[in-house]
Amino acid sequence: MQPSAESYLSPDERHAEEMTRQQLGYADGRLVVGIPWQNGARPQITSNRVQAEDRLRSLLRSLERRPTVQIRYAKVLEEYLQKAYIQELTSDQVQQCGREQWFLPHFAVVREDKATTKVRVVFDAAARFNGTSINEHMYVGPRLQNDLVTVLIRFCMHPVALIADVSEMFLQVSLQPEDRRYHRFLWKTGDGVKAYEFTRLAFGIRASPYLAGRALLETAERFGANYDPAVSDTVRKAFYVDDMLKSLPDDQKAMRLRSQLQDLLKEGGFHLRKWLSNSEAVMESIPPEHRAPATSKSITAQESSGQPSQKALGVTWMVSEDYFTFHYQEPTSAVCTKRTVLSRMASLFDP
């Protein structure tokens, strides 16, 4: 999850790295980051509240036509408030910032195929108002994720496979108070339209993937000395954004790594969930509430009704037999054109 060499960083990426390292902090059991603003200064922009209000009205009309999504959407934001990912603002707090604040329009992304988070609230930091957007004022930061193919190859090296992902990775990283007024949004409850402010990294901010990745690496750097060297090495080499894929020589090493990795990341405020392994012994050592949903029963029991499978970085992994496979649907259209051929080729994800 690190650039292969600092010499390959562009000037903008260097600035982002320098600013982020200067602003990195630690409070209340989690990493605190600041936005790497361009030119090293917070943007002088005019509040886009009028735009946010228009987008909110449009969103509410859309949700009214989909009651189930509407309920889930409201529940997501309610959970954000309960978990302190966001905080409600008073009228005085909004007015104190005057025109120098930004409201993020938001919308729903529905994924019925997902085992968790079927409705995701996405914040549109690319929305332009008066010729600019909040995303345009921040650096993207360097690419920290490992090469996808390399992660998959390492995953195949040893007989005992282990996968997990970081729960709500962006939302586990605190945003420094000085930057929060640029991460506000509007939502309507029974009491009318209210303003809220993110206290954590929001999904949709262009710098969030980089900042969350940097916070994950910083966790290994700060606390890794208290664990086996293989644990920090796993954070650096076995993660692709929030997904962890690792293989080990035997069950005991896999169980030890899982336990220590869970403890290490907890020190940075991160929680690993949806654990899955091709080893029955390893799975039995994992509390049921921490296993992937498909593994609430033993792997052997699942095989009686069909071999279990799991997505691993977009590729279908057959858990028990431990191999990758691909699902392909035969074309339904009898017309063969360049467009249909290219579309079918792109539908098969093959790293």
Side-chain angles (χ1 to χ4, degrees), residues 1-9 13 17 21 142-145 210 214 217:
M1 291 181 65
Q2 291 177 309
S4 55
E6 287 195 6
S7 59
Y8 294 153
L9 300 182
E13 290 171 339
E17 282 276 74
R21 289 189 179 279
R143 179 182 179 274
L144 295 182
Q145 64 260 39
Y210 159 68
R214 176 53 64 203
L217 289 172

Side-chain angles (χ1 to χ4, degrees), residues 268-289:
F270 297 106
H271 171 64
L272 282 169
R273 63 174 182 177
K274 296 196 291 187
W275 287 95
L276 182 58
S277 175
N278 61 337
S279 164
E280 186 77 29
V282 173
M283 287 305 300
E284 289 178 352
S285 72
I286 302 172
E289 64 272 17

Side-chain angles (χ1 to χ4, degrees), residues 187-337:
W187 178 240
K188 186 176 182 181
T189 65
D191 299 326
V193 175
K194 296 182 179 180
Y196 298 86
E197 179 180 82
F198 270 95
T199 62
R200 309 284 180 85
L201 289 179
F203 190 83
I205 302 296
R206 74 187 304 193
S208 287
Y210 159 68
L211 291 172
R214 176 53 64 203
L216 195 69
L217 289 172
E218 182 69 13
T219 298
E221 291 177 15
R222 289 193 179 209
F223 308 108
N226 300 326
Y227 302 88
D228 290 344
V231 182
S232 294
D233 191 61
T234 297
V235 176
R236 288 190 294 268
K237 297 180 180 179
F239 275 83
Y240 188 84
V241 191
D242 59 348
D243 290 310
M244 191 281 300
L245 283 77
K246 179 75 173 178
S247 63
L248 297 107
D250 56 61
D251 292 344
Q252 293 302 316
K253 288 184 178 179
M255 287 186 274
R256 180 175 176 81
L257 177 80
R258 189 204 70 81
S259 177
Q260 290 202 11
L261 184 62
Q262 188 97 38
D263 291 343
L264 169 62
L265 293 190
K266 190 180 296 183
E267 296 203 49
F270 297 106
H271 171 64
L272 282 169
R273 63 174 182 177
K274 296 196 291 187
W275 287 95
L276 182 58
S277 175
N278 61 337
S279 164
E280 186 77 29
V282 173
M283 287 305 300
E284 289 178 352
S285 72
I286 302 172
E289 64 272 17
H290 294 165
R291 302 175 191 171
T295 60
S296 57
K297 298 180 181 179
S298 69
I299 292 175
T300 303
Q302 289 184 66
E303 287 180 331
S304 64
S305 59
Q307 188 185 165
S309 66
Q310 176 79 12
K311 283 287 187 179
L313 296 184
V315 184
T316 300
W317 174 44
M318 305 307 291
V319 181
S320 302
E321 297 298 323
D322 194 17
Y323 66 85
F324 291 132
T325 187
F326 302 91
H327 297 296
Y328 175 72
Q329 294 181 346
E330 289 293 329
T332 55
S333 173
V335 180
C336 184
T337 65

